[in-house]
Amino acid sequence: MHTFPFLPPLLALAAALNLPSAVAAEAAAAPALKTAADKLFLVGAAVGPGHTSGRDKSGVAVIEQHFNTITPENAMKWERIHPKPGRYDFKLADQLVEFGQKRGMFIVGHTLMWHSQTPAWVFEDEAGQPISREALLERLREHVRTVVGRYRGKVHGWDVVNEAIRDEDGTLRTDKPWYAILGEEGVFAAFAAAHEADPDAELYYNDYSLDNPVKRAGVIKLAQAIRARGLRIDGIGSQEHCLLHWPQIEAVDQTYADLKAAGFKAMVTELDVSVLPRPGNYTGAEVSRRQASSRDMDPYRKGLPAAQQQALAQRYRELFAVFAKHHDTIQRVTLWGVSDADSWLNGWPIRGRTDYALLFDREDRAKPALAAAVDALQTAQR
Ligand code: 9MR
């Protein structure tokens, strides 16, 4: 049984007995996540148009209270920001940057080069034929220069390249057009163009399932190749899309030890913990993999039972304890969404489910997982 050091004894007892009102009180009593982490790393969330427009008032209040960094969940992806040849749409990205600037936040740009959410026209010439290598390189450079250049001095760090490495063997995804046509040169070109467009911005390579040693080795090798080219790369983003029991916490610990040993800073870029059953061997975050909905795969539509709520809190506690242990390497921890209502896990790998993956519930109330995360951070600094 864990303790609740910041609670008065009666509340702590009630919380330990798992009384619903006490659970809520425990969550409400938790100090801000960013305060608990302020000597360790930045903490943030992926945000969407509901937040940046101000429509989601309680979501904005959570962001202001708990986070000091934001990442656009979708607003800067190629298909959103550059939907047609020669046509950019900066509306939502501008709104996000303004939202972060007003609040003095560290703003992360996500993402410049990804095999997903990139329109088909990018890989075709004007006649609809496969584009030449030189023309694709130029198109990539133009995109990176335009997007990074627009936010020069405002976006502080970029996920330059996202998910270029295969899970199975840690090699480049040469089945995807970016890498089939350009190979590693495309990755180098993206980093070079981003640095030219904003020499002060931090630049990251971002991927999921780094807790898989084969994939981690492939990611580190690619980051080393970027560095060996003399290009700027500040760190490696480790997404951390977790389940309650995957990956094992030892593997998470090893990930940051290995990134440090390889000489890279780390960012935890897309943290969440799904509590729902997973079909087959679905781990990671391959967005193209989905399957049809089914009621037995969606067991908590009416609410999360107390035992699962506590298991989730315990999982967040152990994750934040490991992140705190590696605070000399980890510069930032970003959750992939603000409240459970926002989470992409409600729609992946099965559509239309009710997941509970984040630190705030569907009404933007703090969950026991928040108190557990805060407690882990405080305990690590005692
Ligand atoms: O959470 C994002 C979801 O809203 C989008 O539909 C999806 C496709 O663009 O991308 C999700 O975010 C992904 C992130 O950009 C990269 N890593 C995996 C994330 C979850 O799929």
Side-chain angles (χ1 to χ4, degrees):
M1 189 171 68
H2 59 248
T3 55
F4 302 82
F6 42 79
L7 286 182
L10 266 180
L11 260 187
L13 175 68
L17 292 173
N18 205 10
L19 303 176
S21 60
V23 171
E26 177 197 355
L33 195 59
K34 68 179 178 189
T35 309
D38 68 350
K39 297 200 174 57
L40 303 175
F41 36 65
L42 298 172
V43 281
V47 302
H51 306 118
T52 55
S53 68
R55 277 195 310 276
D56 179 355
K57 290 202 173 54
S58 56
V60 172
V62 167
I63 295 168
E64 289 175 342
Q65 190 183 347
H66 291 279
F67 301 127
N68 46 27
T69 169
I70 51 169
T71 305
E73 185 171 359
N74 290 302
M76 289 180 173
K77 290 174 182 171
W78 193 309
E79 70 174 10
R80 303 286 176 101
I81 206 167
H82 189 180
K84 294 270 178 327
R87 188 164 80 74
Y88 285 86
D89 179 353
F90 294 116
K91 191 167 165 274
L92 288 177
D94 284 359
Q95 194 180 71
L96 172 120
V97 169
E98 201 182 310
F99 179 96
Q101 280 190 309
K102 267 196 190 143
R103 292 162 179 82
M105 300 178 125
F106 185 94
I107 303 172
V108 180
H110 173 90
T111 175
L112 299 167
M113 185 187 196
W114 189 21
H115 61 271
S116 193
Q117 316 309 120
T118 301
W121 64 259
V122 173
F123 307 106
E124 293 166 1
D125 66 15
E126 275 156 24
Q129 297 302 309
I131 197 174
S132 74
R133 180 184 164 84
E134 269 319 302
L136 183 60
L137 266 179
E138 193 36 47
R139 193 165 270 178
L140 172 65
R141 291 193 184 107
E142 190 274 336
H143 175 87
V144 172
R145 280 197 298 261
T146 304
V147 176
V148 176
R150 183 176 183 89
Y151 302 114
R152 179 176 176 149
K154 298 177 178 170
V155 167
H156 305 101
W158 283 95
D159 290 339
V160 178
V161 175
N162 195 43
E163 301 171 12
I165 295 293
R166 285 193 187 97
D167 281 16
E168 304 74 41
D169 59 4
T171 60
L172 204 61
R173 290 185 192 243
T174 46
D175 53 323
K176 305 292 180 191
W178 279 130
Y179 310 110
I181 303 171
L182 302 178
E184 278 191 349
E185 289 303 321
V187 174
F188 301 151
F191 275 84
H195 184 55
E196 266 169 45
D198 187 352
D200 295 328
E202 294 196 344
L203 304 181
Y204 322 121
Y205 173 79
N206 190 49
D207 215 324
Y208 61 81
S209 297
L210 297 200
D211 316 281
N212 160 5
V214 177
K215 181 145 186 194
R216 180 159 77 240
V219 165
I220 290 175
K221 194 164 154 240
L222 179 61
Q224 283 167 334
I226 296 166
R227 190 167 271 173
R229 274 293 179 105
L231 296 166
R232 174 167 186 168
I233 172 167
D234 295 88
I236 295 179
S238 168
Q239 295 182 11
E240 298 294 8
H241 292 293
C242 299
L243 306 178
L244 280 177
H245 304 292
W246 178 91
Q248 290 189 345
I249 199 66
E250 293 77 14
V252 179
D253 189 22
Q254 192 62 48
T255 297
Y256 299 98
D258 286 2
L259 294 181
K260 179 181 181 174
F264 291 99
K265 292 288 182 199
M267 330 285 138
V268 177
T269 51
E270 303 184 13
L271 177 64
D272 47 28
V273 177
S274 176
V275 302
L276 294 180
R278 275 290 162 90
N281 60 353
Y282 277 54
T283 54
E286 178 52 59
V287 284
S288 61
R289 298 186 63 187
R290 277 182 199 269
Q291 79 168 42
S293 190
S294 87
R295 285 180 84 78
D296 22 311
M297 294 298 276
D298 188 17
Y300 308 129
R301 288 185 303 280
K302 297 209 171 75
L304 191 63
Q308 275 74 23
Q309 191 74 265
Q310 286 309 318
L312 180 72
Q314 191 50 34
R315 180 64 161 156
Y316 267 108
R317 177 187 302 278
E318 69 176 11
L319 286 165
F320 271 89
V322 166
F323 301 153
K325 173 181 165 192
H326 292 284
H327 70 91
D328 59 342
T329 305
I330 296 177
Q331 294 194 319
R332 165 170 61 91
V333 176
T334 295
L335 288 127
W336 205 240
V338 177
S339 87
D340 287 340
D342 306 326
S343 171
W344 72 293
L345 290 163
N346 298 311
W348 186 92
I350 299 176
R351 285 182 211 278
R353 295 199 294 179
T354 305
D355 208 338
Y356 297 83
L358 295 167
L359 299 177
F360 297 88
D361 72 12
R362 285 173 165 72
E363 275 74 51
D364 289 303
R365 291 175 306 219
K367 292 159 59 176
L370 174 72
V374 165
D375 188 37
L377 293 172
Q378 292 175 331
T379 304
Q381 296 173 80
R382 251 176 231 134

